[in-house]
Amino acid sequence: MTLEVAMDRPVRIANCSGFYGDRMSALAEMVNGGPVDVITGDYLAEVTMLVLAKNRLKKPGGGYASTFLRQLKPVVATVAERGIKIVVNAGGLDPAGLAAATREMLAEAGVDLAVAYVEGDDLAPKIPALLADGHELSHLDTGRPFTGWGHDPLTANAYLGGFGVQAALAAGADVVVTGRVADASLITGAAAWWWRWTPADLDALAGAVVAGHVIECGAQATGGNFSGFERIADLTHPGFPLAEVGRDGTSVITKHEGTGGAVTVDTVTAQLLYEIGAPGYLNPDVVPHLDTVHLEPAGPDRVRISGVVGSAPPPTTKVAVTGLGGWRNDSTFVLTGTDADAKAALVEQAVRARLDGDSGISDLRFTRIGTPAEDPADQMAGSSLLHVSVDGEQASAGRAFSSLCVELALSSYPGIYGMGVPGSGGPYGVYWPTLVPQELLDHTVVHPDGRHETVPPPPTAPYEGDAPAGPAEPYDAGETVDGPLGRLVHARSGDKGGNANVGLWVADPDAWPWLRATMTTDLLRALLPETAELAVDRYELPNLRAVNFVVRGLLDGGATEARRFDKQAKALGEWVRARHVPLPVRLLPGV
C-alpha cells in the first residue's frame, strides 16, 4: 500500500499506553487486533519526569521508559511486515538513549526498522541563561518569580508540538521516540504526516488534538474509570482506543472488534473532560475550542467527533520543572469499633506532644478515612483509618517519626494496629510550571542517518483565554427528591498541576438546562467544603451538556508534592456525585 493510496482514507491511529506502567500487552493487542497505520504511546506525566530523574541518578539508562522495549520486542517483526509506524514519548529525559536501545533491540531481533528521535524539550541546562536573559520563569498559577522557588531543578522540560513527529515520519522513520511532546501532539504529528498538514491547517489540527486527547489515556476512552461503569460490558480487560482521523480533522473514536469495554458518547465525553481547564485547550500546535466539539454515535463502539474549531497557538509553551523538596513520611492507623473519634484524637495528641515545636517538622496532617458501620457485620465494616503524614528534615520526619508511631502500639487506644510497619520515608518532589516563548526552543529531529533537522515554531497569536461562565437561566425544577447527584450526573476529575478539575455532564438533553442552572460555583463549594477558601472557575460546554470546574490550589504544588490523600484528584468527581442535592423527579430514570 503506497502512501498516496492511504491518503484517500482516514488514518487509523491506535494508542497503547496512557502512563508509565500501563498494560504491558496493549501494544501487542493493538498490533494483532486489527488494521492500524500508526500506534502511539503516552508514557509521561509530571510525576513520571521526577521518577525518571530519580532513576537516572541511580543507573545509566534510567532516564527513559524502558517498558517500551519490552512491549515492542514480541511484535516487532509483525510491525515491520505490516508497515505500522510507532510514535512514543517514552524517551522521557533521554530520547537519544531510548532510540539507541531500540536500534540495539531491533538488531538483535534481525528486524530492519528506521528509528528517529525528537529532542529540544530539555531546558534544565539552560535555566541559568534564561534567567540571565530576563526570563523570570514565573509560576504559571501564582506569578511568583522562579528565583524565589528555593529548590534546584532536577528536570525542566518544555512541551513540544507534533511537527517534529511529522518531519520524522515524512523522512521515512518507522519508529519515532520523543521526550516531552504534548500528549495529544503524538497523534497530531502522525495525522499531520498522513495528510501533509501545515501549521496553517488550524481546524484540522484542532480536530486531531481533540482525538488525541480522547485516546491518549488508553482505556479511559473505552469505559475505564467511567462513572457509568456498571453499564459497560467486560471492564475486566477493556480494549484500547483508536482514532480514525480524516483529512479535515474529523475523527471516529473506536476500538478493535471483539475487545472489552465500550466506546460511547459518554465514555468519550468523560475523557474529553479529563484534566482540562477553560474551553480553549492550549497546545503548542493549535488551540482547539472544546465548546465547538460535536459528538454523535457512528455505529457500535464508534463515536464521531466533528465541528472542532482551532485558532493559532500561543507564542509560549508550558515548561514543567521538578525538583526534590524535604523529607516525607506517613503512617496509617486502623480504628475499630466504637469511640473512633476519641481513638483518633488520642493518637493525634500523642504525636503532637512529641512533634509540635520540633523545628525539623514543616507540616503535620491527620486525615480520617471512612466511617465505621453502626452495627458492623464483620470487623472490616466496623473499621476506619487515620492517616498521619509529616514533612520536614530527614532527622525528624524519617526514622524518628516512624519510631514514634511504632511506640504507640502498647500505649494508646484499644485495638490499635497499623497498615504495615512505618518506613523511613523519602524525599518528596516539588513542581514549578512556567512558560517560555516557543521561538526559544531547539525543536530538533535526529533522523536515522544522524542528520539533524530543526523544526521551526508555528505562527502564533496571543491568546487571552476564556472568561468563566456567568449565571445561567433559572430552571423550574418542579417536584424534587433528595438524592445523590450521581443519579443524574456523570463526572470525571483529574489534576492540572496544583489545580484540580471536575467535569460534570448529563446524558439526557432534557437534564442539561437543570444542570446548567443548578451546578453553580456556590453549590460546588457547598458540596466540596475543602474548596471553600480556594478560587474556583466554572466553564460551560453546551455541546457536551457539561460544566467544568477548575479548583485552584487544591493539590498544593502539584501531584509530586500534594499533601492531599487523593493526590491527583482522581476521585473528586465521584465524591461530588455522592453528595445529595434536590433532584427533579421528572428527570429521574424511569419516571
Side-chain angles (χ1 to χ4, degrees):
M1 180 179 66
T2 66
L3 185 58
E4 285 72 28
V5 173
M7 287 290 189
D8 293 334
R9 62 166 177 82
V11 57
R12 288 174 63 87
I13 305 173
N15 175 273
C16 73
S17 177
F19 67 100
Y20 188 15
D22 210 343
R23 188 190 305 169
M24 283 295 297
S25 61
L27 178 54
E29 292 171 19
M30 301 315 288
V31 168
N32 297 320
V36 292
D37 302 302
V38 183
I39 298 178
T40 62
D42 176 23
Y43 294 77
L44 302 183
E46 291 146 7
V47 174
T48 314
M49 305 305 276
L50 184 63
V51 169
L52 293 175
K54 291 179 178 179
N55 289 347
R56 186 171 59 178
L57 292 174
K58 296 175 184 177
K59 61 180 181 179
Y64 55 76
S66 58
T67 52
F68 166 67
L69 297 171
R70 300 205 301 273
Q71 290 176 295
L72 179 60
K73 187 174 182 178
V75 294
V76 67
T78 306
V79 167
E81 179 185 345
R82 291 175 48 193
I84 298 171
K85 304 293 186 180
I86 306 292
V87 181
V88 295
N89 62 12
L93 302 175
D94 187 11
L98 181 56
T102 302
R103 294 188 187 107
E104 182 178 341
M105 183 270 288
L106 292 171
E108 292 174 355
V111 176
D112 184 20
L113 291 177
V115 181
Y117 63 92
V118 178
E119 62 183 8
D121 59 300
D122 184 6
L123 296 184
K126 300 180 180 180
I127 285 181
L130 288 170
L131 293 171
D133 288 343
H135 299 282
E136 289 191 352
L137 305 182
S138 301
H139 193 283
L140 188 57
D141 296 317
T142 67
R144 291 183 293 131
F146 181 79
T147 50
W149 189 33
H151 302 283
D152 294 325
L154 269 183
T155 70
N157 296 84
Y159 284 63
L160 301 178
F163 281 98
V165 171
Q166 182 200 46
L169 293 172
D174 301 301
V175 179
V176 183
V177 171
T178 79
R180 181 66 278 191
V181 166
D183 303 344
S185 289
L186 298 171
I187 291 86
T188 310
W193 158 70
W194 186 272
W195 292 117
R196 299 177 183 173
W197 292 334
T198 72
D201 294 308
L202 293 175
D203 290 348
L205 290 167
V209 169
V210 170
H213 179 54
V214 171
I215 72 171
E216 72 191 27
C217 286
Q220 280 197 166
T222 59
N225 299 356
F226 171 48
S227 55
F229 71 99
E230 290 184 308
R231 297 190 294 276
I232 303 294
D234 189 14
L235 265 184
T236 58
H237 197 89
F240 272 57
L242 60 90
E244 300 171 351
V245 183
R247 186 185 298 274
D248 63 352
T250 296
S251 66
V252 171
I253 307 300
T254 185
K255 63 186 183 70
H256 284 323
E257 188 175 351
T259 57
V263 177
T264 70
V265 168
D266 284 322
T267 67
V268 171
T269 300
Q271 179 56 29
L272 275 175
L273 294 175
Y274 182 57
E275 297 183 343
I276 66 168
Y281 186 67
L282 301 182
N283 178 277
D285 298 315
V286 64
V287 178
H289 297 273
L290 299 183
D291 49 0
T292 64
V293 173
H294 286 267
L295 303 179
E296 60 182 333
D301 290 316
R302 294 177 64 81
V303 172
R304 178 175 289 106
I305 301 176
S306 62
V308 186
V309 173
S311 57
T316 56
T317 189
K318 181 179 175 182
V319 179
V321 186
T322 68
L324 294 179
W327 202 262
R328 175 166 293 172
N329 206 349
D330 65 352
S331 183
T332 303
F333 296 87
V334 182
L335 314 170
T336 306
T338 59
D339 306 315
D341 291 345
K343 292 169 180 174
L346 183 58
V347 172
E348 181 169 350
Q349 291 166 11
V351 174
R352 288 194 179 280
R354 290 276 295 275
L355 297 183
D356 280 353
D358 186 334
S359 60
I361 300 298
S362 58
D363 189 87
L364 179 62
R365 301 195 185 193
F366 299 83
T367 305
R368 290 286 298 276
I369 305 167
T371 304
E374 189 171 323
D375 182 17
D378 57 45
Q379 185 173 331
M380 292 299 97
S383 301
S384 59
L385 303 178
L386 173 65
H387 182 254
V388 186
S389 64
V390 61
D391 289 352
E393 298 173 2
Q394 184 175 355
S396 297
R399 284 292 181 188
F401 169 76
S402 303
S403 297
L404 164 60
C405 294
V406 170
E407 289 168 6
L408 296 177
L410 303 182
S411 60
S412 191
Y413 65 86
I416 185 172
Y417 70 98
M419 300 288 288
V421 179
S424 58
Y428 63 86
V430 289
Y431 171 67
W432 186 273
T434 187
L435 299 172
V436 297
Q438 293 207 53
E439 63 185 15
L440 294 183
L441 302 180
D442 297 322
H443 190 173
T444 303
V445 180
V446 182
H447 294 287
D449 60 3
R451 178 174 58 90
H452 286 58
E453 178 182 352
T454 299
V455 180
T460 64
Y463 182 68
E464 300 300 329
D466 301 271
E473 290 292 323
Y475 179 83
D476 182 5
E479 181 185 358
T480 63
V481 59
D482 280 355
L485 184 69
R487 287 189 67 182
L488 287 177
V489 179
H490 287 296
R492 174 60 61 81
S493 60
D495 59 312
K496 293 283 290 182
N499 307 324
N501 93 291
V502 185
L504 304 171
W505 81 98
V506 288
D508 180 4
D510 291 338
W512 167 236
W514 166 77
L515 179 70
R516 186 180 195 179
T518 304
M519 205 62 227
T520 63
T521 301
D522 288 342
L523 178 58
L524 184 82
R525 293 186 189 280
L527 299 180
L528 303 181
E530 64 181 312
T531 68
E533 303 302 321
L534 301 174
V536 178
D537 296 328
R538 177 184 178 276
Y539 302 98
E540 294 181 359
L541 296 98
N543 292 349
L544 302 179
R545 298 188 291 274
V547 291
N548 183 52
F549 294 92
V550 179
V551 184
R552 301 196 176 276
L554 181 70
L555 305 177
D556 299 306
T560 57
E561 59 180 287
R563 295 167 179 83
R564 193 173 183 272
F565 195 78
D566 179 11
K567 296 181 185 300
Q568 293 177 281
K570 301 296 187 184
L572 192 64
E574 288 302 293
W575 180 23
V576 178
R577 293 182 71 244
R579 297 305 309 270
H580 281 222
V581 299
L583 301 171
V585 171
R586 63 171 174 261
L587 295 178
L588 294 176
V591 176

